[in-house]
């Protein structure tokens, strides 16, 4: 295996990690409207991801940086051709981070309500747009002989791409509902389980349709295996959450995401961005990659840095592993003092209560 093949696999792993981790916190953001009944419950949901949401975005930054360094032509064509949707995702991620930090800085109801709405929309839109983007990458776009995208924004909104967006939105929301059931206690936990079952069944329909379309269009033997794994894991996750086994369900929903992303990257390889104008103009792992010397240096750096990233992120999840509920949330009058930010609120809840996670 050549180094450019290795880096294609590594980039696939980085995107898989991003969708696995950021997927559930996008889902929790969507559930602040779909599940929470009042501000106290919204604070519970936000506090479940308060200590980890920013760490999850490290995977996106690393995936983007790795693509830029390992496959500069892929990066240039992708970010110029998909400029508007990627810019919208970036704006959403910026506003979302500000919303998490500023929501509890003032006690006024209008102030907090507006930031909570921002969290909802800036979670929903990226969850949808990432699916649209990757569907277009896999199926191919109009790339000319100069490796430039010649289409427009509306060309990125075909039926396959829109189905991809709906699939990732549904899958991430289901993943977030399972995570909510795993991280909470009381009535909100029970309702999260029930909602997760309904979301899981709807997600199964969308995922089978999208991945099945991918299989028919660009699939092979390997993608057929990963598609089957994704479908089986998703159905098993729904069954597990219906039985109240949140730990198993979260693991299985994670396996679904891993298998689904693997299906997309396997269907894409050896291309990194197929051309719908002429297959000879497609960007591949060979013609879009950096020099072997650059890839060699990157490989050594990745081997040194990756274990450190995994260790500190794993430590974060271990420290904030405890469940929280509405009983850990201060009254609204005390919110400004008691919840300077979501991470501090989650830390207080973690020290106040422990309930073993059922697996």
């Amino acid at each position: 295996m050549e180094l450019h093949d290795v880096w294609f696999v590594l980039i696939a792993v980085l995107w898989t990690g991003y969708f696995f981790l950021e997927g559930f916190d996008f889902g929790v953001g969507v559930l602040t409207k779909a599940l929470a009944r009042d501000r106290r419950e919204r604070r519970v949901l936000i506090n479940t991801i308060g200590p980890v949401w920013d760490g999850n975005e490290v995977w996106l930054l690393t995936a983007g940086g790795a693509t830029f360094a390992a496959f500069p032509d892929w990066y240039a064509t992708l970010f110029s051709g998909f400029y508007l949707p990627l810019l919208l995702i970036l704006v959403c991620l910026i506003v979302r981070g500000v919303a998490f930090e500023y929501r509890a800085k003032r006690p006024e109801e209008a102030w907090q309500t507006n930031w909570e709405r921002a969290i909802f929309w800036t979670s929903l839109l990226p969850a949808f747009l990432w699916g649209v983007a990757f569907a277009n990458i896999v199926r191919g776009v109009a790339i000319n002989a100069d490796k430039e995208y010649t289409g427009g924004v509306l060309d990125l909104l075909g039926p396959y791409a829109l189905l991809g967006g709906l699939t990732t939105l549904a899958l991430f929301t289901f993943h977030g509902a399972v995570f909510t059931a795993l991280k909470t206690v009381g009535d909100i936990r029970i309702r999260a389980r029930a909602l997760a079952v309904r979301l899981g069944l709807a997600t199964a329909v969308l995922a089978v349709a999208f991945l099945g379309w991918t299989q028919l269009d660009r699939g092979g033997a390997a993608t057929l295996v990963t598609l089957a794994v994704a479908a089986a894991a998703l159905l098993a996750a729904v069954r597990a959450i219906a039985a109240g086994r949140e730990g198993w369900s979260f693991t299985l929903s994670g396996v679904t995401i891993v298998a689904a992303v693997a299906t997309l990257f396997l269907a894409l390889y050896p291309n990194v961005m197929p051309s719908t104008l002429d297959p000879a103009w497609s960007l591949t792992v060979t013609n879009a990659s950096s020099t072997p010397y650059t890839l060699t240096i990157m490989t050594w750096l990745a081997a040194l840095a990756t274990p450190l990233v995994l260790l500190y992120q794993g430590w974060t999840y271990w420290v904030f592993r405890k469940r929280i509920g509405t009983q850990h949330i201060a009254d609204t009058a005390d919110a400004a003092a008691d919840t300077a930010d979501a991470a501090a609120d989650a830390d207080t809840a973690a020290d106040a209560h422990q309930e073993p996670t059922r697996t």
Side-chain angles (χ1 to χ4, degrees):
M1 181 181 287
E2 300 290 337
L3 279 178
H4 51 68
D5 298 314
V6 172
W7 273 96
F8 179 84
V9 173
L10 290 176
I11 288 172
V13 170
L14 290 170
W15 280 110
T16 302
Y18 175 66
F19 288 144
F20 179 92
L21 297 172
E22 190 85 311
F24 71 72
D25 73 48
F26 281 149
V28 171
V30 173
L31 293 176
T32 57
K33 289 289 187 182
L35 179 64
R37 292 175 174 173
D38 52 34
R39 174 155 297 114
R40 186 182 290 267
E41 290 192 350
R42 282 193 291 274
R43 289 176 63 197
V44 170
L45 292 177
I46 292 170
N47 290 343
T48 63
I49 58 173
V52 298
W53 68 266
D54 48 354
N56 294 343
E57 293 184 355
V58 169
W59 291 81
L60 172 62
L61 298 175
T62 308
T67 303
F68 172 77
F71 299 99
D73 288 334
W74 183 14
Y75 181 92
T77 303
L78 175 64
F79 279 78
S80 60
F82 293 18
Y83 181 80
L84 286 178
L86 292 179
L87 177 62
L88 181 57
I89 290 174
L90 178 60
V91 171
C92 284
L93 295 179
I94 292 171
V95 173
R96 190 167 181 263
V98 173
F100 280 126
E101 297 297 330
Y102 276 58
R103 178 189 57 84
K105 296 298 184 183
R106 290 170 58 179
E108 292 89 343
E109 182 176 353
W111 172 273
Q112 296 191 7
T113 298
N114 287 334
W115 286 121
E116 287 164 0
R117 287 173 181 164
I119 290 172
F120 169 76
W121 286 109
T122 57
S123 298
L124 185 148
L125 288 174
F128 175 76
L129 290 174
W130 279 127
V132 171
F134 270 84
N136 279 293
I137 291 171
V138 172
R139 196 165 196 208
V141 291
I143 299 174
N144 63 19
D146 296 322
K147 301 179 180 179
E148 295 179 355
Y149 174 65
T150 59
V153 175
L154 295 180
D155 296 324
L156 302 176
L157 300 177
Y160 176 75
L162 293 175
L163 179 59
L166 291 174
T167 301
T168 53
L169 175 59
L171 181 56
F172 292 168
T173 307
F174 168 69
H175 197 40
V178 174
F179 180 79
T180 299
L182 181 68
K183 288 287 292 179
T184 58
V185 294
D187 181 61
I188 194 169
R189 176 186 179 188
I190 295 171
R191 286 188 282 114
R193 286 181 190 168
L195 180 59
V197 172
R198 298 195 296 272
L199 286 170
L201 295 175
T203 301
V205 174
L206 290 170
V208 169
F210 175 63
L211 295 178
W213 192 341
T214 304
Q215 177 67 27
L216 292 174
D217 193 35
R218 294 189 174 274
T223 55
L224 185 60
V225 173
T226 55
L227 188 158
V229 171
L234 180 55
L235 293 175
V238 175
R239 183 175 180 179
I241 194 65
R245 303 185 69 83
E246 297 103 339
W248 277 111
S249 183
F250 184 72
T251 300
L252 289 165
S253 67
V255 171
T256 302
I257 292 174
V258 171
V261 176
T263 301
L264 296 180
F265 274 91
L266 286 170
L268 182 61
Y269 183 82
N271 296 316
V272 294
M273 212 166 176
S275 172
T276 57
L277 301 179
D278 187 336
W281 296 342
S282 297
L283 300 181
T284 68
V285 293
T286 303
N287 66 22
S289 68
S290 294
T291 64
Y293 180 72
T294 299
L295 295 177
T296 300
I297 294 175
M298 289 175 59
T299 303
W300 282 106
L301 291 174
L304 293 173
T306 302
L308 297 177
V309 173
L310 294 175
L311 283 172
Y312 83 70
Q313 193 156 29
W315 176 82
T316 300
Y317 277 92
W318 175 256
V319 169
F320 295 101
R321 67 190 182 278
K322 301 174 184 178
R323 295 180 184 268
I324 62 173
T326 53
Q327 65 269 35
H328 304 122
I329 302 299
D331 292 335
T332 304
D334 300 326
D338 189 58
T339 56
D341 55 46
D345 208 13
D347 192 17
T348 300
D351 291 337
H353 183 78
Q354 165 76 35
E355 179 175 324
T357 299
R358 185 181 179 188
T359 59

